[in-house]
Amino acid sequence: MEWSRVISEALEYIEKNITEDISIDDIAKQVHISAYYFQKGFSLLCGYTVMEYIRNRRLALAAGELVAKEEKVIDIAIKYGYDSPDSFTKAFTRFHGVTPSVVQKNNSTIIKSFVPLKIILSLEGGHSMDYRLTKKDSFIVLGIAKKFSYEDAKTAIPEFWKKHYEQGNGKYVCGMFGINIDESMGNSEFEYLIADVYNPAMDIPEGFITKTIPAFTWAVFPCRGAMPDSLQDVNKKIFSEWLPALKEYEFAAGYCIEMYDDVSKYPKGNIDENYYSEIWIPVRKK
């Protein structure tokens, strides 16, 4: 899989269809990759979710038209995918800091630009990326679960962890695992668990669930360093270096597990420069 080609073709398709009702499925089909992995790869490599990127491009183009033309706000709103002037005004104001009507009345108003991403070919890698393949039987975890949209996950999941500990749930589940489950491998939402290995002798607290993680061969990637940078760096390398070079294996299912070492072992907890964590990806032979 050549991610430079995938992203480049996706960006070109988005620009050509920026005023159309395009979805992640539409774009993924154009670049011949599953919507699930396209969305994950795009977000990790580009720094935006797919729909966030499209939304920003539309709002930037809409502002340019408000300055340059005498079209009604409602017409520009509809052109760029908004059902009403109110929804367009709210999104526009969040992005630009001013309302569409202010921009239209005052051409000197400062608005934000958001130029299209461009792919610049660069040579990366050339060094070993540590990982191991581990066959693991199915196992059961105890955890607290919640559904998240891919659009909101970047900010919503850290808040989920924060509330978990603030509500005292750490006495039941310390948080050995962060588990992402999307069995349908879709593009809208997934289930996320803060979990530990289940002890059958323990009563299941109210609001918690058990979940069986299927048997897989896992590609296990060690991460060393302060959180969350160490995990994010390895995640990016998985998609930009490891996955494109993968010849014998492919992703097996819509699971991704992050394993966190005991923070009490480190002087600075999970921001210690030596903190250890892992990313587990299920794989199978092609």
Side-chain angles (χ1 to χ4, degrees):
M1 181 190 303
E2 298 177 5
W3 275 105
S4 60
R5 176 192 61 79
V6 168
I7 299 297
S8 181
E9 290 181 5
L11 294 173
E12 183 179 353
Y13 179 78
I14 289 169
E15 287 302 309
K16 287 181 178 179
N17 297 275
I18 196 68
T19 60
E20 303 298 323
D21 184 18
I22 53 175
S23 68
I24 293 170
D25 281 329
D26 295 332
I27 304 167
K29 287 177 183 176
Q30 291 294 317
V31 295
H32 309 292
I33 185 174
S34 78
Y36 175 76
Y37 290 116
F38 169 68
Q39 180 161 254
K40 289 177 73 69
F42 188 98
S43 178
L44 284 166
L45 298 175
C46 297
Y48 302 94
T49 66
V50 181
M51 298 314 296
E52 182 183 11
Y53 175 78
I54 293 172
R55 183 166 57 249
N56 289 350
R57 282 292 298 138
R58 285 173 172 169
L59 290 170
L61 291 169
E65 293 195 16
L66 284 169
V67 170
K69 300 179 181 179
E70 296 183 355
E71 291 185 56
K72 293 180 180 179
V73 171
I74 181 61
D75 293 334
I76 293 177
I78 292 172
K79 178 179 180 179
Y80 287 103
Y82 290 88
D83 297 330
S84 70
D86 285 344
S87 61
F88 175 65
T89 297
K90 288 178 182 177
F92 189 96
T93 305
R94 280 197 301 269
F95 185 74
H96 290 287
V98 292
T99 65
S101 59
V102 168
V103 172
Q104 197 168 47
K105 291 175 183 177
N106 185 356
N107 288 352
S108 64
T109 301
I110 296 175
I111 55 176
K112 290 183 180 178
S113 65
F114 189 84
V115 298
L117 289 171
K118 293 186 182 297
I119 297 299
I120 299 175
L121 181 63
S122 63
L123 296 176
E124 296 184 356
H127 58 272
S128 62
M129 185 175 182
D130 293 339
Y131 76 97
R132 65 182 186 274
L133 294 178
T134 301
K135 288 185 178 180
K136 191 173 181 62
D137 292 335
S138 64
F139 63 100
I140 302 174
V141 296
L142 170 71
I144 187 163
K146 188 175 180 180
K147 290 285 184 70
F148 292 94
S149 72
Y150 282 103
E151 282 293 293
D152 301 332
K154 191 174 182 179
T155 55
I157 288 178
E159 187 63 26
F160 184 47
W161 277 89
K162 181 182 178 183
K163 287 184 178 179
H164 174 75
Y165 292 117
E166 286 179 347
Q167 294 171 353
N169 290 328
K171 64 185 176 182
Y172 304 118
V173 168
C174 296
M176 179 181 180
F177 299 116
I179 304 176
N180 178 324
I181 302 174
D182 185 353
E183 292 180 342
S184 68
M185 297 180 74
N187 61 45
S188 57
E189 66 177 17
F190 61 95
E191 184 179 32
Y192 184 88
L193 284 83
I194 300 172
D196 290 343
V197 174
Y198 174 54
N199 178 359
M202 176 183 173
D203 292 333
I204 300 174
E206 185 177 355
F208 286 71
I209 65 168
T210 59
K211 177 79 71 172
T212 299
I213 306 300
F216 286 118
T217 296
W218 298 89
V220 178
F221 299 84
C223 310
R224 295 179 178 85
M227 294 275 285
D229 292 348
S230 58
L231 272 174
Q232 292 172 350
D233 181 57
V234 171
N235 242 328
K236 185 174 181 180
K237 288 180 178 177
I238 288 172
F239 277 84
S240 63
E241 298 179 21
W242 181 75
L243 182 57
L246 202 59
K247 303 300 182 186
E248 297 182 7
Y249 290 87
E250 62 185 359
F251 284 91
Y255 284 77
C256 179
I257 297 178
E258 295 175 357
M259 189 283 294
Y260 315 110
D261 202 2
D262 182 357
V263 295
S264 67
K265 293 162 57 176
Y266 302 88
K268 298 179 184 178
N270 67 359
I271 61 170
D272 195 276
E273 60 270 20
N274 296 311
Y275 184 73
Y276 182 78
S277 56
E278 294 177 343
I279 297 173
W280 301 3
I281 303 290
V283 296
R284 64 187 171 210
K285 284 260 188 179
K286 290 184 178 178

